[in-house]
Amino acid sequence: MTMASSNTPIPMDDGFNEYESAVKRQKSTTSKVWDEMTKLECENKNELKAQCNHCKTIFFAKSSSGTSHLRRHLNSCLKKVNKDITQYTIATQPSPEGVPSIKNYKFDADECRKAISTFLVCGKHSFRTVEEPGFRYMMRIASPNFKNISRYTAARDVLMYYAKERDRVKEELAKAPGLICLTSDNWNSEHTNDEYICVTAHWVDKDWKLQKRIIRFRALFPPYDGLNIADELVLCLSQWGIDKKIFSFTLDNAFYNDVMVSYLKNHFRANRAILCDGAFFQVRCCAHILNLIVKAGLELADDVVGKIRNGIRYIRKSGIRRKRFYDVADKSFHLNVTKKLRQDVCVRWNSNYLMLESSLYYKDVLDYWGQRDKDYQIFALSNEEWENVAILCKFLKVFYDVTCVFSGSNYPTANLYFRGVWKVHKVLLDTVKGPYSFLTPMVKQMQEKFNKYWAEYSLILSCAAILDPRYKLNYVQYCFTTIYGDHASDFVETILSNLRLLFDEYVKKSKSTSSSLAGSSNVSDKNPIDSGLDEHNDSSADFGGYFDESDDYKRYLNESSTRSEKSQLDIYLEEPELELNSQIDVLDYWGKSSVRYNELSLLARDLLAISISTVASELAFSMGKKVITPLRSSLKPKTVQAVVCLDDWMRAKRFSAEIGCKKDDDDDDDDEDDDVSSIVF
């Protein structure tokens, strides 16, 4: 497969332009007279009649005759003068006098169809829903003027809605003031066995707010190797018009991703669309690495974890047994039973931690249960085992908190990478030397994984930590000193030199941009004062000679002042840090500092847009599982992409907040979500 180029004609089934056919199929708006006229079928199929809804007069209404005569009748219809009270509605906002006002209500069929598309997309409902008797009855009661639509029309409406919203998102990306960071991951649908790729764009907008949008959720064609995926990505970026605005790519540790990144780097180098020769282009998913580290250690603690897992499964399996357990916990031990026993998921280590935490909360109840239920006694833990579980849970909490922070997608995470990885590194070093011998084999196993992926801290993400005003260079020096002692300066110098290299790139880019703007605006214009001097000042000394050294002298002065003046980066680093654990919006800080630190703020904008995990893309796969179900396994890939992307874009526009959705009071169950944005280290 060859690399897609801008000169190559793009086929209609490329995941982008194929939606144009749905837009073209959209029927032109019918005449407004049909809002007040009803079409009547005749025995002769070539004839058509229309009946006035007001006076019930019947007219001929052939398509060749037009609708002018019907409009003339409506303008003069006597029955129409007395408008139906159902065409009015009470305004939601009262008048200034406090009296509710009455406003004219007009049914909008297009808005109603758009609302139905929103309902289908946000609820992951089947398109057949619009043909169900219950749905049609609801719509007839809510809006008698609404005309029923088929599932095919509903699907076409969603595709048209997607095409329009896609153009808006494309415009947002084009207006992004900085570079764009990407995350990507692959997913296999168990119902169709199709391999899907999800690409999410992250950037900081003009208001210094972090934005993210899914721009690709597309079924791949085999083979699913690095080169094929690279071609898919190049095509995607070209279609969205952002192939020259990419800063970084966050991926997991699959081998084919390394091949893909190598191919993409060569492509961007050829187009001169990559910073520092691609040294900072690839970012490995930190949440995925943490998962590998912890799972490597938990394999050695499977005995006690397995006992707890099977014991909780035994209690939760029976509804009667589960009810008795919580009754005992409430009445005999006075525990808050809204916090439930958690069952872990084998592929998610953080669910192991939550399971252990919940078992410790119900420790006394589980011991009580083991003394009275013979079948449960094989799962009961001794006092020594409970002590080990408490120590293990405390040890894993550090990893759990770091994972929660790393997995955020609604706030910057690049600046939090360094502190999180250092905490993991430090706890591993301290625990292996600690008094708990049962943890030693497990921690050594975890250290091997840590050294494999994080022996050298990510340079680009360590640079982002320095651009957090709470950390800067002193915190980085402190962290490395606690681990490497006298050799810490080598690591710090490496990070600082790379940060200076990046900063110099942005200074050059800023100067070239400003010089090109100045050149375009002053190509032939002279300063009027200078022009007057040239013409009338005869007293100026003219020494003649074969060259004029004035330009060279100005250049010398500029270079001298540049060497003597401190850079924006040096001034920023010399200023005192903010309090270490203070709660600040780092993007807001740089937005307010952009006047003082012009070029440095541009670098901070792009660095802080990096997502250090692929969680944003993985969340789309959870959405995909709700879209592609056994009953909807025949959906076309373009329809799947439209539904998933539209749902993501509506969430980005805070759709739920706009319509006033609130969580019900009785929605608190054992699947409670943690507010990761409030977690601090």
Side-chain angles (χ1 to χ4, degrees):
M1 180 177 287
T2 58
M3 185 69 71
S5 65
S6 58
N7 297 326
T8 306
I10 300 175
M12 288 300 292
D13 59 346
D14 62 351
F16 202 83
N17 293 294
E18 60 188 316
Y19 297 93
E20 306 306 327
S21 59
V23 176
K24 290 176 182 177
R25 288 183 61 183
Q26 185 179 15
K27 296 179 181 179
S28 59
T29 306
T30 56
S31 174
K32 296 294 183 181
V33 301
W34 297 113
D35 293 340
E36 301 175 73
M37 290 278 185
T38 302
K39 292 180 181 180
L40 301 176
E41 294 184 0
C42 303
E43 293 182 2
N44 185 353
K45 293 184 178 180
N46 295 324
E47 292 184 2
L48 182 66
K49 293 184 179 181
Q51 184 180 50
C52 176
N53 293 343
H54 306 293
C55 65
K56 306 304 179 184
T57 305
I58 298 177
F59 302 88
F60 285 102
K62 286 185 179 181
S63 58
S64 58
S65 302
T67 57
S68 299
H69 64 297
L70 301 179
R71 188 179 296 106
R72 284 194 297 271
H73 167 76
L74 290 172
N75 291 336
S76 60
C77 182
L78 298 176
K79 295 277 187 178
K80 187 183 175 184
V81 175
N82 299 320
K83 293 186 177 179
D84 191 349
I85 191 63
T86 59
Q87 295 299 311
Y88 291 88
T89 181
I90 296 177
T92 55
Q93 298 295 332
S95 62
E97 294 78 16
V99 180
S101 59
I102 295 179
K103 65 177 183 179
N104 190 21
Y105 163 76
K106 184 177 181 181
F107 173 74
D108 191 326
D110 293 336
E111 280 299 314
C112 192
R113 293 261 290 269
K114 183 179 176 182
I116 290 175
S117 296
T118 303
F119 165 76
L120 295 173
V121 168
C122 292
K124 318 298 183 298
H125 300 294
S126 168
F127 295 125
R128 290 180 181 271
T129 303
V130 300
E131 296 179 346
E132 293 177 1
F135 179 86
R136 292 187 167 179
Y137 173 74
M138 175 187 71
M139 293 303 299
R140 188 169 71 249
I141 297 299
S143 181
N145 294 329
F146 176 74
K147 295 180 180 179
N148 292 329
I149 59 174
S150 69
R151 61 182 184 272
Y152 304 108
T153 303
R156 191 162 59 248
D157 284 351
V158 168
L159 296 184
M160 289 190 296
Y161 191 11
Y162 165 80
K164 292 176 182 177
E165 288 297 315
R166 181 199 61 196
D167 293 340
R168 290 199 186 110
V169 174
K170 188 175 181 180
E171 186 178 354
E172 288 180 9
L173 291 170
K175 291 180 178 178
L179 298 179
I180 295 168
C181 302
L182 302 176
T183 59
S184 178
D185 206 354
N186 290 6
W187 168 69
N188 182 269
S189 171
E190 60 181 324
H191 302 301
T192 64
N193 205 32
D194 288 328
E195 188 81 8
Y196 281 84
I197 184 172
C198 179
V199 182
T200 307
H202 307 255
W203 74 96
V204 177
D205 64 17
K206 62 181 179 62
D207 298 321
W208 290 86
K209 301 295 182 184
L210 186 64
Q211 302 289 341
K212 73 173 182 71
R213 303 286 188 277
I214 295 176
I215 60 174
R216 194 78 157 182
F217 193 91
R218 187 72 179 165
L220 295 170
F221 296 100
Y224 309 125
D225 55 19
L227 297 180
N228 192 23
I229 296 174
D231 279 331
E232 178 75 15
L233 287 169
V234 169
L235 179 63
C236 170
L237 300 180
S238 175
Q239 290 168 338
W240 283 93
I242 57 175
D243 48 335
K244 296 186 185 301
K245 295 183 67 174
I246 303 303
F247 183 74
S248 69
F249 217 135
T250 304
L251 303 156
D252 63 21
N253 296 291
F255 173 74
Y256 62 80
N257 280 333
D258 294 334
V259 177
M260 179 194 72
V261 166
S262 176
Y263 202 39
L264 288 177
K265 280 183 180 180
N266 292 332
H267 175 76
F268 290 136
R269 283 193 194 106
N271 294 328
R272 297 182 179 179
I274 194 167
L275 277 174
C276 301
D277 200 38
F280 311 116
F281 181 69
Q282 183 179 10
V283 177
R284 297 190 182 275
C285 175
C286 298
H288 185 253
I289 293 174
L290 268 177
N291 186 53
L292 294 175
I293 292 171
V294 179
K295 284 179 71 176
L298 284 177
E299 289 176 357
L300 300 180
D302 201 45
D303 289 344
V304 65
V305 174
K307 270 182 159 183
I308 294 175
R309 178 186 299 118
N310 294 327
I312 292 177
R313 184 179 294 134
Y314 170 78
I315 291 172
R316 287 166 55 104
K317 193 174 182 179
S318 166
I320 297 175
R321 195 183 299 131
R322 185 169 61 247
K323 185 179 182 305
R324 282 181 53 210
F325 178 87
Y326 290 123
D327 284 344
V328 170
D330 181 23
K331 296 174 182 177
S332 301
F333 294 90
H334 308 292
L335 296 176
N336 180 10
V337 294
T338 56
K339 181 174 181 176
K340 306 296 184 182
L341 281 174
R342 303 289 291 258
Q343 184 74 56
D344 66 345
V345 181
C346 60
V347 294
R348 294 172 54 195
W349 79 265
N350 52 329
S351 66
N352 299 140
Y353 165 77
L354 294 173
M355 180 185 70
L356 296 178
E357 184 190 43
S358 69
S359 68
L360 283 171
Y361 181 77
Y362 284 105
K363 171 184 174 299
D364 295 335
V365 186
L366 291 171
D367 286 341
Y368 174 88
W369 200 267
Q371 295 169 6
R372 286 159 177 77
D373 190 332
K374 294 181 180 179
D375 294 330
Y376 179 81
Q377 287 178 356
I378 58 174
F379 309 125
L381 272 63
S382 64
N383 289 334
E384 182 182 355
E385 286 175 323
W386 275 120
E387 290 175 4
N388 290 344
V389 169
I391 295 168
L392 177 62
C393 200
K394 184 179 179 181
F395 170 71
L396 291 177
K397 189 179 189 309
V398 176
F399 295 85
Y400 177 77
D401 288 346
V402 171
T403 300
C404 287
V405 173
F406 281 5
S407 301
S409 57
N410 297 322
Y411 55 89
T413 53
N415 56 310
L416 306 175
Y417 159 86
F418 183 85
R419 192 177 186 185
V421 173
W422 172 78
K423 280 188 173 290
V424 169
H425 197 175
K426 191 76 166 62
V427 77
L428 288 175
L429 292 175
D430 292 346
T431 306
V432 80
K433 300 173 185 175
Y436 307 117
S437 56
F438 79 96
L439 284 178
T440 303
M442 183 177 74
V443 173
K444 286 184 176 179
Q445 194 86 354
M446 296 169 74
Q447 276 184 317
E448 288 182 12
K449 286 287 184 183
F450 182 93
N451 293 332
K452 179 180 178 181
Y453 296 108
W454 280 340
E456 296 181 1
Y457 286 48
S458 169
L459 290 175
I460 187 69
L461 297 179
S462 299
C463 291
I466 295 177
L467 294 181
D468 188 318
R470 294 167 295 185
Y471 305 148
K472 295 194 176 181
L473 198 59
N474 285 335
Y475 185 77
V476 174
Q477 289 174 328
Y478 160 77
C479 291
F480 277 131
T481 301
T482 59
I483 293 175
Y484 298 111
D486 296 336
H487 299 288
S489 58
D490 297 335
F491 293 91
V492 175
E493 189 57 39
T494 301
I495 293 172
L496 187 58
S497 62
N498 278 275
L499 180 57
R500 292 189 187 280
L501 179 67
L502 263 176
F503 177 64
D504 290 342
E505 288 274 343
Y506 275 76
V507 172
K508 290 177 185 176
K509 188 165 65 171
S510 177
K511 286 182 177 179
S512 64
T513 303
S514 57
S515 62
S516 63
L517 290 173
S520 61
S521 60
N522 299 306
V523 174
S524 59
D525 295 339
K526 285 188 176 182
N527 188 311
I529 298 176
D530 293 341
S531 178
L533 287 173
D534 290 342
E535 293 176 6
H536 304 292
N537 191 0
D538 296 329
S539 63
S540 60
D542 183 8
F543 294 100
Y546 62 92
F547 74 92
D548 181 4
E549 77 280 8
S550 59
D551 290 338
D552 191 52
Y553 178 61
K554 289 178 182 177
R555 194 179 303 111
Y556 167 78
L557 289 178
N558 288 333
E559 291 177 355
S560 300
S561 62
T562 302
R563 283 194 295 267
S564 60
E565 291 178 1
K566 293 179 180 178
S567 69
Q568 295 175 15
L569 179 59
D570 293 326
I571 296 172
Y572 165 77
L573 292 176
E574 287 178 0
E575 290 186 343
E577 301 86 0
L578 301 181
E579 203 278 319
L580 182 62
N581 293 318
S582 59
Q583 297 293 312
I584 67 163
D585 183 343
V586 68
L587 288 177
D588 182 64
Y589 169 86
W590 281 107
K592 293 175 179 176
S593 305
S594 57
V595 176
R596 187 180 183 195
Y597 302 120
N598 186 14
E599 290 90 359
L600 190 60
S601 67
L602 299 178
L603 172 58
R605 185 201 295 270
D606 293 340
L607 276 180
L608 295 173
I610 298 175
S611 176
I612 63 175
S613 75
T614 59
V615 169
S617 295
E618 290 173 4
L619 288 175
F621 301 147
S622 299
M623 210 184 305
K625 291 177 183 176
K626 297 176 182 177
V627 175
I628 308 173
T629 63
L631 297 177
R632 305 182 75 190
S633 57
S634 61
L635 280 178
K636 293 180 180 179
K638 71 173 183 179
T639 307
V640 174
Q641 175 170 261
V643 172
V644 172
C645 289
L646 265 178
D647 184 75
D648 176 72
W649 300 342
M650 289 176 189
R651 290 171 186 268
K653 291 195 297 185
R654 303 292 190 268
F655 172 76
S656 297
E658 288 177 9
I659 61 173
C661 289
K662 293 182 179 179
K663 187 176 179 181
D664 294 337
D665 294 336
D666 57 354
D667 279 350
D668 294 326
D669 53 17
D670 35 341
D671 292 329
E672 53 203 21
D673 295 325
D674 295 306
D675 183 9
V676 297
S677 62
S678 64
I679 295 177
V680 293
F681 289 112

